[in-house]
Amino acid sequence: STVPHRTLMPARLDMPAHTASWIFGEPAAVSNCTHVLPEDPNDAKNPFKARDKLALDISSVRALEVAKTILEELAELFPDKFLHVGGDEVDYRCWYTMPKIKSWMQEKGFQPVDA
């Protein structure tokens, strides 16, 4: 007999990395660390790869508000039990080289991570 199965495809919102596009609508939510270039020299020459380093500004109240709103809206649109938010591929240099974010991280007790 054939057993029916279901493939679950959860909604996906990749963050805190890969949020460069957010800077156009919510500039206060994104760490504008375009000075952090990819380590690969070929990627560093590519303007799209350089923009890929941008991440949410974890010290920004606005970033939290925007992320919360988007997640709430996704939860309504996709009532599954699962939601993929990524959470990987952050280039931590984007946060450590921004004085406001670095200070916030130190206040909260967050230490640099080798990624």
Side-chain angles (χ1 to χ4, degrees):
S1 79
T2 305
V3 177
H5 68 277
R6 178 178 161 209
T7 301
L8 178 65
M9 297 296 292
R12 177 182 174 141
L13 176 64
D14 209 354
M15 64 177 185
H18 306 297
T19 53
S21 64
W22 295 30
I23 203 166
F24 299 105
E26 290 290 346
V30 179
S31 174
N32 192 0
C33 60
T34 53
H35 62 279
V36 175
L37 295 175
E39 293 174 350
D40 181 306
N42 292 320
D43 287 347
K45 295 175 189 173
N46 181 329
F48 297 105
K49 288 283 188 177
R51 282 290 222 197
D52 196 41
K53 295 298 173 188
L54 273 62
L56 290 182
D57 178 348
I58 57 173
S59 69
S60 165
V61 171
R62 186 63 187 152
L64 180 61
E65 292 169 349
V66 171
K68 182 179 183 222
T69 298
I70 292 172
L71 290 169
E72 287 171 346
E73 289 179 13
L74 281 175
E76 288 179 22
L77 291 170
F78 301 94
D80 293 324
K81 294 179 182 179
F82 302 98
L83 173 68
H84 179 71
V85 292
D88 61 343
E89 299 179 335
V90 173
D91 188 331
Y92 295 102
R93 296 175 300 159
C94 186
W95 293 336
Y96 301 151
T97 60
M98 301 296 286
K100 176 182 168 254
I101 299 173
K102 183 177 181 179
S103 174
W104 179 87
M105 290 178 72
Q106 289 171 339
E107 288 173 18
K108 300 293 182 188
F110 295 127
Q111 300 296 317
V113 175
D114 293 328

